[in-house]
Amino acid sequence: MQYQSQAVAKPYFIAAIALFTGQILFGLIMGLQYVVGDFLFPEIPFNVARMVHTNLLIVWLLFGFMGATYYLIPEESETELFSPRLAIITFWVFLAAGVATILGYLAVPYATLAKFTGNDLLMTMGREFLEQPLPTKVGIVIVVLSFIFNVLMTMLKGRKTAISLVLVLGLVGLAVFFLFSFYNPHNLVKDKYYWWWVVHLWVEGVWELILGAILAFVLIKVTGVDREVVEKWLYVIITMTLITGIIGTGHHYYWIGAPAYWQVWGSVFSALEPIPFFMLTIFAFNMVNKRRREHPNQAAILWALGTGVMSFLGAGVWGFLHTLAPVNYYTHGTQLTAAHGHMAFYGAYAMVVLTIISYAMPILRGRAANSNKAQVVEMWSFWLMTVAMVFITLFLTAAGVLQTWLQRISTTPMSFMATQDSVAIFYWMREGAGVVFLIGLIVYISSFFIKGETKAK
């Protein structure tokens, strides 16, 4: 560890993994409720399980992004963090707010939670992914502003690199677009229009900048390739991301009452969105092939390569499958969307957080890399989780194709619930793959506790 203040990243990474585990458990509960409707009812209704599953996803990824930033910014800036104490304070505030919110979801009816958290004063609750009570949203803004202030002050007193600038641009964008979660117009078209400014412009916009910066940082460290080469790739990827991702928001405007020209603009630009992910894959493999040294942390290299491949497949290929307006007319809101969402989030964001954790955690514990035995176990976890996610995606894709046919194309269309019964076999298989994913995550966590001869710094 080059700078002592990098140690503040460690609790962020630990919290991220703990919340990741919670997300997977609630995913399994929800997956089982697809086929056993009254499972854990009324203690954990389906809508609550889904809300906890998706909210935990967002929160653990944010913890991962913040931990990654606190780890890499001191090295990129060649100076200690501006305020390690502020970083620890914001960690506990964010963790307390997150845990209190999840407990609130589980302990009281959602309407009661809204009543006692000031939703009457400023209505922000009740929208998918943005269900958080008003105090939680305000807390997120305060935490993120404090976090960005800490990062910017660190950068101002040190070196500025392309990686740190791209990362901060992504983080500032993350903060700015989250402000639209406070805007909840009565007009449903406007509501959905601006709701996507948070949801889409996060995951298909500014989050991709964060993804690119973290991956570039790790690749420089594990390959020894010249920074200039990595930064040129990063500039091109980020440019393509912004060109395709911002106007590509239009593929969400097809059927919400927005002008019809979005069907053309959305189709054209979102069809181009796989390009930056394909470039990300080429980038990762190219850097590893050109490496100037054999880094002892082979597990981190595997995660980095996996991020490129899986993000291209999940966000690129599976996104393209149903992004064109004539296709989306039939597939909108089916299990094809769920298939795309699962692999895209895992490939692009979960894996890049696991990449930086795999690289940084051994260093935070005083060594360059874990023992060979621990790395072998970690690589097993990589394959278990990744292969399980591939099968989850394939089963949901099969369910989505059959659902589209039975419910929307057939000359004798079936009702939604009758269709769900017809695709139940795929939900069972998805649940089985989810159990394998959980086993992979347990194996991953266990790798942190495996001893052996570690690699020296």
Side-chain angles (χ1 to χ4, degrees), residues 423-444:
V423 300
I425 183 64
F426 296 111
Y427 293 150
W428 277 113
M429 291 192 287
R430 184 265 303 268
E431 188 71 2
V435 171
V436 175
F437 190 96
L438 176 63
I439 293 170
L441 178 57
I442 293 171
V443 172
Y444 174 77

Side-chain angles (χ1 to χ4, degrees), residues 230-245:
V230 173
E231 289 180 346
K232 285 177 183 174
W233 273 92
L234 185 61
Y235 280 132
V236 175
I237 292 170
I238 295 311
T239 301
M240 285 303 300
T241 296
L242 293 177
I243 290 173
T244 61

Side-chain angles (χ1 to χ4, degrees), residues 164-174 206 209-210 238 242:
S164 57
L165 291 173
V166 169
L167 178 64
V168 166
L169 180 62
L171 295 171
V172 170
L174 183 153
V206 294
L209 308 190
I210 299 170
I238 295 311
L242 293 177

Side-chain angles (χ1 to χ4, degrees), residues 144-164:
V144 172
L145 288 178
S146 303
F147 165 67
I148 292 176
F149 169 77
N150 208 358
V151 172
L152 286 176
M153 292 303 290
T154 306
M155 288 176 59
L156 286 175
K157 67 174 184 165
R159 182 180 63 160
K160 287 81 177 171
T161 67
I163 289 176
S164 57

Side-chain angles (χ1 to χ4, degrees), residues 344-355:
F345 266 105
Y346 175 71
Y349 301 119
M351 290 187 80
V352 81
V353 170
L354 297 176
T355 298

